[in-house]
Amino acid sequence: MATGRNHRPATTRSRGIPEATVARLPLYLRALTALSERSVPTVSSEELASAAGVNSAKLRKDFSYLGSYGTRGVGYDVEYLVYQISRELGLTQDWPVVIVGIGNLGAALANYGGFASRGFRVAALIDADPSLSGKPVAGIGVQHTDELEKVVDDNGVSIGVIATPAGAAQQVCDRLVAAGITSILNFAPTVLSVPEGVDVRKVDLSIELQILAFHEQRKAGEDVPDEEDTAPPAAPPAASVTKRTDSGPDGDLPAVMPA
Amino acid sequence: MATGRNHRPATTRSRGIPEATVARLPLYLRALTALSERSVPTVSSEELASAAGVNSAKLRKDFSYLGSYGTRGVGYDVEYLVYQISRELGLTQDWPVVIVGIGNLGAALANYGGFASRGFRVAALIDADPSLSGKPVAGIGVQHTDELEKVVDDNGVSIGVIATPAGAAQQVCDRLVAAGITSILNFAPTVLSVPEGVDVRKVDLSIELQILAFHEQRKAGEDVPDEEDTAPPAAPPAASVTKRTDSGPDGDLPAVMPA
DNA sequence: ATGCCTTTGTGAACGCGTGCACAAAGATGG
DNA sequence: CCATCTTTGTGCACGCGTTCACAAAGGCAT
Ligand SMILES: NC(=O)c1ccc[n+]([C@@H]2O[C@H](COP(=O)([O-])OP(=O)(O)OC[C@H]3O[C@@H](n4cnc5c(N)ncnc54)[C@H](O)[C@@H]3O)[C@@H](O)[C@H]2O)c1
Ligand SMILES: NC(=O)c1ccc[n+]([C@@H]2O[C@H](COP(=O)([O-])OP(=O)(O)OC[C@H]3O[C@@H](n4cnc5c(N)ncnc54)[C@H](O)[C@@H]3O)[C@@H](O)[C@H]2O)c1
């Protein structure tokens, strides 16, 4: 996470923008960009918050960490705010990105135009499959894994995207880090271990679906009497690992706490 | 919610699993599944936490919301815990899912095998492009948007995935909701508005990259004593709306031009 | 200028999530 | 059966993030 660099027990406010705020800045930026394209000169916190899907008080507090860029009684200057947020996010420069693992997902990412328009440039596509080498994907030739270090070094890449199978992710990660990458976006369903100083963010679609399923189940079971303790499959602690062979025809149990 | 005293409420407890905990359950489940495949009978909170990439105290507290499924001095029974978490997440049943927008990303999702193995089944692929209709993607024929309502109804689908361009997302969302969908996973970079009772989770790759860029910039600027204010572009409040005249064919525009 | 009206910026209260630290529970060995 | 050792389950304190509510700031009309 954040590199705890505050040796000042007192106030941690200097450049300390809360992580939660940082995560919302891209949201505001997107909404502001849309307004900018419609040549809207100013917006109130209320309007912008609505467009970004957040609470206006939260938005104002978020902006307060960046400085006082608004005008009371009027709102915020769209263009100016777009610049300030872009600068804060480091988007006034282009970030070369390397994508490793050009399969279904990697190819989709390579073809995605939303990156370039937001300050990211696909510097190279890397894959271990020799039959892919040289093949153009999204107008860029796929390069073999052997080239990884060279590509990172030549282009000064600091952000890497991993879209390989889970089994290869850690290995790829290690090579990326060794090559000088300090930020990784991981799509493989694995926990990556990296040295301090390297940021990792993960995107796991299965997890998202599972979270949705949890709430979905809860909605469905809302009217079900939640007092029963339907016989679970195998017994709990006793070391007699009676593995569940099946949970019977009806796998519908109203999860409830044991008495 | 009814977050009563956590003493002995016997009534308001099973429903009160913290959202943060729910988000980690899939992580534990993944790690446990791997252990299960290696026929490991039990794990300690320390081992499992390490495998899941979290703190052991956090893991224990998370599990405590589900009940007391561990054995002191020993650890947790892997098989049993897999079942308990699966049940809690609602994965003891299969969830049919419909994917709308079979472009680069949608096709990649359709081809992804990680869904089926986690309790999700792609019930249908929907796209507005007539030329795609009938075309098989991942072994499933793409169906036209007209079929959406029928597909959702026939298969009892309650989870929908949106992978259309941003401009069509809200419209698609509305149709999904009208058709009976109550959980949506949105990949389009837009804020969706839905009626109460419908859950929306979003995955925005650009936002992830932007967050990485923020930290990356901070790392790079760590040694730069310079404070800030590197000659901003336009002046602040005064509405000197220097509208962008350029901006190529593509919609989105990158950062604002500095001085 | 002056007063009114709108909207920002933020102090303060609150709630959630995290991590520590330890007593209790249970296994294990003698 | 008792002692010891391991590991869980959780009370507690702390810090972050969210939200409320309002004084202050600034535009604008008169
Ligand atoms: N496809 C999806 O929609 C989707 C969804 C969620 C998660 N994921 C995850 O994303 C990852 C990629 O998924 P996919 O569907 O694109 O898989 P894929 O099999 O289509 O592609 C994987 C690619 O990685 C390459 N590769 C394998 N080992 C490599 C290595 N050591 N170095 C470089 N390249 C290597 C392979 O040659 C292949 O081209 C997987 O971990 C998957 O679990 C994918
Ligand atoms: N490709 C990526 O890696 C990537 C990454 C991040 C975000 N996204 C987002 O995901 C979405 C899809 O991206 P993509 O690259 O697959 O785009 P794409 O253009 O390749 O595919 C979009 C598909 O949606 C279909 N479509 C359009 N309007 C529709 C409607 N009203 N109903 C049903 N289908 C409709 C189109 O026919 C097309 O097949 C976009 O919003 C994009 O911003 C994509």
Side-chain angles (χ1 to χ4, degrees):
Chain A
M1 294 297 265
T3 49
R5 188 55 70 91
N6 38 348
H7 52 287
R8 192 65 64 155
T11 51
T12 319
R13 66 186 305 278
S14 56
R15 274 277 148 242
I17 299 180
E19 194 56 31
T21 294
V22 172
R24 281 188 293 267
L25 290 182
L27 224 52
Y28 302 142
L29 184 56
R30 184 205 293 164
L32 284 165
T33 302
L35 290 172
S36 174
E37 283 168 0
R38 288 195 289 135
S39 298
V40 176
T42 61
V43 273
S44 67
S45 63
E46 201 69 54
E47 295 169 318
L48 185 54
S50 168
V54 303
N55 174 306
S56 72
K58 194 184 293 184
L59 177 143
R60 287 199 300 277
K61 176 137 293 192
D62 282 341
F63 285 175
S64 78
Y65 292 116
L66 307 183
S68 292
Y69 297 142
T71 303
R72 292 167 193 243
V74 176
Y76 300 91
D77 181 273
V78 173
E79 297 297 321
Y80 188 64
L81 201 46
V82 163
Y83 172 77
Q84 290 299 344
I85 294 180
S86 293
R87 185 172 59 83
E88 200 65 56
L89 286 173
L91 303 182
T92 48
Q93 61 182 289
D94 250 36
W95 294 95
V97 171
V98 57
I99 301 176
V100 185
I102 313 303
N104 288 310
L105 186 58
L109 294 173
N111 277 301
Y112 183 44
F115 292 153
S117 65
R118 288 182 176 77
F120 299 94
R121 179 171 50 83
V122 177
L125 305 178
I126 306 281
D127 200 291
D129 187 346
S131 69
L132 279 177
S133 293
K135 261 194 170 181
V137 172
I140 303 174
V142 175
Q143 291 176 274
H144 190 266
T145 314
D146 295 342
E147 312 284 336
L148 196 155
E149 287 77 9
K150 177 172 164 49
V151 161
V152 171
D153 201 53
D154 288 356
N155 296 280
V157 182
S158 54
I159 299 178
V161 176
I162 297 179
T164 66
Q170 183 62 59
Q171 181 185 356
V172 167
C173 173
D174 291 342
R175 283 190 67 173
L176 285 172
V177 170
I181 292 282
T182 45
S183 286
I184 292 174
L185 182 53
N186 179 34
F187 285 91
T190 325
V191 175
L192 295 180
S193 72
V194 295
E196 192 174 358
V198 176
D199 279 311
V200 175
R201 293 192 68 85
K202 67 173 197 297
V203 173
D204 192 315
L205 312 186
S206 291
I207 287 183
E208 298 301 323
L209 284 181
Q210 287 172 39
I211 294 173
L212 285 177
F214 171 84
H215 293 298
E216 198 61 42
Q217 184 188 40
R218 174 174 290 187
K219 289 178 202 163
E222 203 105 296
D223 51 337
V224 179
D226 60 321
E227 188 67 38
E228 206 44 50
D229 191 8
T230 20
S240 61
V241 188
T242 356
K243 86 293 295 304
R244 91 191 73 323
T245 46
D246 85 330
S247 58
D250 58 340
D252 198 74
L253 311 182
V256 193
M257 64 166 286
Chain B
M1 299 118 220
T3 313
R5 267 306 198 296
N6 50 350
H7 208 54
R8 226 23 143 52
T11 45
T12 49
R13 156 98 165 275
S14 67
R15 290 282 182 262
I17 299 179
E19 194 56 31
T21 294
V22 172
R24 280 188 294 268
L25 290 182
L27 224 53
Y28 302 143
L29 184 57
R30 185 206 291 164
L32 284 165
T33 301
L35 290 172
S36 174
E37 282 168 1
R38 289 195 289 133
S39 298
V40 176
T42 61
V43 272
S44 68
S45 63
E46 200 70 54
E47 295 169 319
L48 184 54
S50 169
V54 303
N55 175 304
S56 72
K58 194 184 293 182
L59 177 143
R60 286 198 300 277
K61 176 142 295 191
D62 283 342
F63 285 176
S64 78
Y65 292 116
L66 307 184
S68 291
Y69 297 144
T71 303
R72 294 169 192 240
V74 176
Y76 300 90
D77 180 275
V78 173
E79 297 297 320
Y80 189 65
L81 201 47
V82 163
Y83 172 76
Q84 290 298 344
I85 295 180
S86 292
R87 184 172 60 85
E88 200 65 58
L89 287 173
L91 303 182
T92 48
Q93 61 182 288
D94 250 35
W95 293 96
V97 172
V98 57
I99 302 176
V100 184
I102 313 303
N104 287 310
L105 186 58
L109 294 173
N111 277 300
Y112 183 44
F115 291 154
S117 65
R118 288 182 177 77
F120 299 94
R121 179 172 51 83
V122 177
L125 305 178
I126 305 281
D127 200 292
D129 187 347
S131 68
L132 278 178
S133 293
K135 261 194 168 182
V137 172
I140 304 174
V142 176
Q143 291 176 272
H144 190 266
T145 313
D146 295 343
E147 312 284 337
L148 198 154
E149 287 78 10
K150 177 173 163 47
V151 162
V152 170
D153 201 52
D154 288 357
N155 296 280
V157 182
S158 54
I159 301 178
V161 175
I162 297 179
T164 66
Q170 182 62 58
Q171 181 186 354
V172 167
C173 173
D174 291 342
R175 283 191 66 172
L176 285 172
V177 171
I181 292 281
T182 45
S183 286
I184 293 175
L185 182 53
N186 179 35
F187 285 91
T190 325
V191 174
L192 294 181
S193 72
V194 294
E196 191 173 358
V198 176
D199 278 311
V200 175
R201 293 193 67 86
K202 67 173 197 299
V203 173
D204 193 315
L205 313 184
S206 292
I207 286 184
E208 298 301 323
L209 284 180
Q210 286 171 39
I211 294 173
L212 285 176
F214 171 84
H215 293 298
E216 199 61 43
Q217 184 188 41
R218 173 172 289 188
K219 289 178 201 165
E222 202 104 296
D223 51 335
V224 181
D226 190 80
E227 190 74 347
E228 60 174 303
D229 288 327
T230 11
S240 60
V241 187
T242 352
K243 90 281 277 168
R244 72 197 61 287
T245 48
D246 55 280
S247 83
D250 66 325
D252 285 26
L253 62 165
V256 178
M257 47 181 282

